[in-house]
Amino acid sequence: MDNLEAGTQLTGLQAIWHDPEGEATLEQAWQANQQGKFKPLDTAGSTGLQPGSFWSYFILRNTTSEQLRLHLEYVDHQLISLQAFDRPLQAVGFQQIADLFLGNPFSERPVSHNRFVVEVELAPAESREVLVRYNSDRQGYVYPSMRIWTPAALQASLTVETGMMAFLFGGFFLMSIFALVAGLATNEKTFYAYSVYSLSKITVWGVIMGYAHQYVITENFHWSYMSISGAVTIFCALFFARLFLQSQQFIPKLDKLLILMMANAVFLFITALFKLTPLTVMSMTFALFMYPIMVVVGFARWRQGSKEAAVFILAWGLLIFGLVTQVLRDVGVVAPSFVNYYWPPLASFTEMLTIMAAMGIKVHMLRVQKEHAEKKYLRKLEESKEELRDLVEERTHELKQAKLQAEMEARTDYLTGIDNRRSFINKAEMRLSLALRREQPLSMLMMDLDRFKAINDSYGHDIGDQVLKAFSEVVKNTIRSSDIFGRMGGEEFALLFDESAEGSVEMAERLRQEVERITVSTPKGDLQFTTSIGVAHLGTVGTLESMLKQADIALYSAKENGRNQVVSQT
């Protein structure tokens, strides 16, 4: 060892053996080594997604004259168990120096670190052979390599890493609080979704990077927690994105892809919960493969005019770049390093900051739209005042006309257009009172169309209606405008007018003669009809009821005496 104890040198990549079944013992692994089955890794540092276990063999040499204690740190967090064995060079028999398992209590780790660390002691000028078994629980990604540290250098590096992650977690937490406050202030669901999404980021990176096991779930930790927290974060991300981009409303076809991705997140959660390793790995791979679709969705919204979608594209692009870096690292295209190890959480943090900026833009645009809408509303309100005033005046006029029309219809006979019975009686009562006070003459005529039923039966009711209208028109044209004329019901009519007994008989006779001359055209030929009239005259005292009764008696006499005549009741 020269000056290579600061984590800059990796071990074991030149001699790697794959045990597909994951059942090989130490003796079988050493036998494979002796048979030349340990080969250099043909990737940049990862075995890729393969089942079983991997073994690495390397030699540590202490070139100094002092006792040397080293910490060998596994380069990644995605490992279920690690066993290490060593012996002095060319000695007989290996001894186990580490048996690390993700499910063991964190307190049992010989070195308190969020990743697996193996401690090795080297005497002055001593060389030791080391065999390390890496296990990913049947199927997963393995980085069969260790970083070499002195204890002090590893502790210093851990302090820096922990501080950086604490900064990122604090940033996520603050963004979550800010979004929650904004949600409470605006009642906008997008802020609430963003707040939950930010908290899920703390959870997923805390679990994946090993801090949850170190500080929270120190007992009975399981690899499935990584996938479960990842599933929750993916679901929250997609839920937020759908709200933020309004994909369901504006791009429904692409929105179906987002729903598919959300369904896969639920599937990932279930498979991880039940510890179905192959299905979990497949689902997670599918989720990462589908992530770039979010950029396509954002681009579609940006093309539709959503300015904040452009910032969303940038944010999601940063995240995808980080995830792509992780994928390239996992499949062995890129060699593992601190930069690409921490790039995914850093990219995730940058994504959240950028989305926060996008949400700020969105809020600003909503405020501008609100102010514009308020100004437009005020202008419209001013314009509407005049329109409303005109509308009210017009409506008031219409209501007055409707009222007059209703009042007229209430006192008018619908067929003939003259006063109906109720209106006739009301007017007649007032005229009678006036005549009594002034001691003026007042006469009443009761008129009935002769054989009207026979007309209806022979010619039909339509002709009967024409007869009633023609009769009413003739009477109206004969009497004075001050006379009160009304239809009492059916073919019976009444006339009240200022006239003496003698004059009233003359008026009745004139009306009878005018009616005789009426001709109504029918399909059966011209129709003529007559009327019988009863006359009553007001004395010094009297009532409307008595006048109507007297006139009705006179009318009855006229009909009994042969019809088409005038009879006066004096």
Side-chain angles (χ1 to χ4, degrees), residues 408-409 411-420 472 487 493:
M408 183 184 72
E409 291 176 355
R411 59 176 184 265
T412 301
D413 178 63
Y414 75 95
L415 179 63
T416 60
I418 63 176
D419 288 334
N420 57 23
S472 299
R487 183 182 178 188
F493 296 82

Side-chain angles (χ1 to χ4, degrees), residues 263-550:
N264 179 66
V266 174
F267 179 75
L268 172 61
F269 182 90
I270 294 172
T271 58
L273 187 65
F274 289 97
K275 301 176 177 59
L276 305 175
T277 306
L279 292 177
T280 301
V281 173
M282 290 174 56
S283 180
M284 180 62 77
T285 304
F286 178 78
L288 295 175
F289 177 77
M290 293 290 287
Y291 253 43
I293 289 177
M294 294 305 305
V295 175
V296 177
V297 175
F299 184 76
R301 287 291 290 122
W302 176 66
R303 288 289 302 271
Q304 291 177 343
S306 174
K307 294 181 179 179
E308 63 270 19
V311 185
F312 179 87
I313 295 170
L314 174 62
W316 211 264
L318 292 170
L319 176 62
I320 290 173
F321 182 71
L323 296 176
V324 169
T325 301
Q326 179 66 47
V327 171
L328 294 176
R329 191 171 180 267
D330 286 342
V331 298
V333 175
V334 177
S337 67
F338 278 114
V339 174
N340 55 41
Y341 179 81
Y342 281 106
W343 178 246
L346 183 61
S348 182
F349 181 80
T350 308
E351 171 228 2
M352 297 303 290
L353 281 178
T354 309
I355 288 179
M356 179 69 81
M359 293 177 68
I361 294 173
K362 185 173 183 177
V363 170
H364 174 70
M365 292 182 64
L366 289 174
R367 185 183 298 113
V368 171
Q369 292 174 2
K370 179 183 177 183
E371 292 174 355
H372 177 72
E374 288 176 348
K375 291 179 181 178
K376 184 177 179 181
Y377 172 76
L378 290 175
R379 287 197 302 270
K380 186 65 176 178
L381 188 61
E382 291 296 327
E383 294 172 358
S384 298
K385 283 182 179 179
E386 293 295 329
E387 296 178 1
L388 183 60
R389 187 180 297 111
D390 294 341
L391 183 61
V392 169
E393 291 178 356
E394 181 181 351
R395 185 59 179 161
T396 301
H397 177 73
E398 290 177 354
L399 290 173
K400 287 180 180 179
Q401 293 298 317
K403 181 175 179 291
L404 293 174
Q405 180 69 22
E407 290 174 349
M408 183 184 72
E409 291 176 355
R411 59 176 184 265
T412 301
D413 178 63
Y414 75 95
L415 179 63
T416 60
I418 63 176
D419 288 334
N420 57 23
R421 181 184 181 87
R422 179 181 178 183
S423 179
F424 175 83
I425 291 175
N426 289 338
K427 292 180 180 180
E429 289 281 7
M430 290 187 288
R431 179 66 65 84
L432 177 62
S433 298
L434 181 63
L436 289 173
R437 286 199 306 271
R438 296 181 179 180
E439 298 182 353
Q440 294 176 338
L442 193 65
S443 296
M444 173 79 74
L445 302 186
M446 289 294 290
M447 298 172 281
D448 189 87
L449 299 184
D450 296 331
R451 298 183 175 86
F452 183 72
K453 183 177 182 304
I455 294 175
N456 276 336
D457 293 342
S458 299
Y459 294 91
H461 289 280
D462 289 344
I463 299 300
D465 289 345
Q466 292 184 37
V467 167
L468 292 174
K469 287 192 234 182
F471 170 80
S472 299
E473 193 66 27
V474 165
V475 175
K476 283 194 296 183
N477 291 336
T478 304
I479 64 177
R480 296 166 299 190
S481 61
S482 60
D483 297 339
I484 302 172
F485 177 47
R487 183 182 178 188
M488 305 302 287
E491 69 275 18
E492 189 175 68
F493 296 82
L495 175 64
L496 184 70
F497 56 106
D498 301 328
E499 190 60 76
S500 62
E502 183 180 352
S504 62
V505 173
E506 292 177 359
M507 170 61 80
E509 183 62 28
R510 187 162 67 252
L511 288 173
R512 187 193 66 78
Q513 293 174 9
E514 290 293 335
V515 170
E516 268 188 328
R517 289 192 284 270
I518 297 174
T519 300
V520 176
S521 298
T522 75
K524 296 181 180 181
D526 291 342
L527 169 64
Q528 291 185 301
F529 55 91
T530 59
T531 181
S532 299
I533 302 175
V535 183
H537 188 70
L538 177 65
T540 56
V541 293
T543 63
L544 181 63
E545 183 180 358
S546 63
M547 289 188 72
L548 285 170
K549 185 175 181 180
Q550 291 176 14

Side-chain angles (χ1 to χ4, degrees), residues 32-51:
N33 179 269
Q34 294 297 99
Q35 294 173 352
K37 294 181 180 180
F38 279 64
K39 304 291 184 181
L41 191 67
D42 57 1
T43 69
S46 171
T47 62
L49 185 62
Q50 296 192 57

Side-chain angles (χ1 to χ4, degrees), residues 60-312:
L60 295 176
R61 293 183 174 86
N62 182 3
T63 59
T64 71
S65 59
E66 298 178 357
Q67 183 83 7
L68 184 63
R69 186 159 59 97
L70 297 177
H71 283 172
L72 307 181
E73 172 216 7
Y74 181 63
V75 299
D76 195 68
H77 50 266
Q78 299 183 71
L79 193 66
I80 306 304
S81 65
L82 182 150
Q83 291 82 38
F85 310 86
D86 79 340
R87 69 179 185 183
L89 187 63
Q90 301 300 324
V92 177
F94 282 86
Q95 64 176 354
Q96 186 169 7
I97 57 174
D99 185 9
L100 303 173
F101 175 57
L102 192 65
N104 290 340
F106 190 85
S107 59
E108 294 182 2
R109 294 192 181 186
V111 178
S112 180
H113 199 287
N114 56 303
R115 293 182 291 275
F116 289 153
V117 177
V118 176
E119 191 171 67
V120 179
E121 293 281 350
L122 291 158
E126 181 186 24
S127 297
R128 299 188 73 87
E129 296 176 284
V130 182
L131 273 173
V132 181
R133 177 179 180 266
Y134 310 88
N135 179 42
S136 61
D137 193 14
R138 289 171 292 181
Q139 187 166 19
Y141 298 100
V142 172
Y143 300 85
S145 182
M146 312 280 281
R147 292 194 187 95
I148 304 174
W149 300 87
T150 61
L154 179 61
Q155 185 59 44
S157 174
L158 178 61
T159 301
V160 173
E161 290 183 58
T162 304
M164 182 184 71
M165 291 306 298
F167 174 80
L168 294 183
F169 291 159
F172 284 131
F173 181 74
L174 287 177
M175 284 186 278
S176 176
I177 295 299
F178 291 156
L180 178 61
V181 172
L184 293 173
T186 62
N187 199 29
E188 173 63 43
K189 291 188 293 184
T190 308
F191 285 105
Y192 293 120
Y194 180 86
S195 178
V196 175
Y197 181 31
S198 295
L199 291 178
S200 73
K201 291 278 190 175
I202 299 175
T203 302
V204 69
W205 289 119
V207 172
I208 289 176
M209 306 300 284
Y211 295 103
H213 187 198
Q214 184 174 2
Y215 298 109
V216 183
I217 312 174
T218 57
E219 304 281 340
N220 301 316
F221 190 85
H222 194 273
W223 65 262
S224 61
Y225 299 159
M226 300 182 190
S227 298
I228 290 173
S229 60
V232 172
T233 300
I234 292 170
F235 187 89
C236 291
L238 294 168
F239 184 82
F240 164 76
R242 292 185 70 219
L243 284 178
F244 183 78
L245 296 175
Q246 299 176 290
S247 58
Q248 184 177 12
Q249 179 181 356
F250 294 102
I251 42 176
K253 292 184 179 179
L254 289 176
D255 183 67
K256 292 179 180 178
L257 291 176
L258 302 187
I259 294 175
L260 173 63
M261 293 170 67
M262 292 178 71
N264 179 66
V266 174
F267 179 75
L268 172 61
F269 182 90
I270 294 172
T271 58
L273 187 65
F274 289 97
K275 301 176 177 59
L276 305 175
T277 306
L279 292 177
T280 301
V281 173
M282 290 174 56
S283 180
M284 180 62 77
T285 304
F286 178 78
L288 295 175
F289 177 77
M290 293 290 287
Y291 253 43
I293 289 177
M294 294 305 305
V295 175
V296 177
V297 175
F299 184 76
R301 287 291 290 122
W302 176 66
R303 288 289 302 271
Q304 291 177 343
S306 174
K307 294 181 179 179
E308 63 270 19
V311 185
F312 179 87

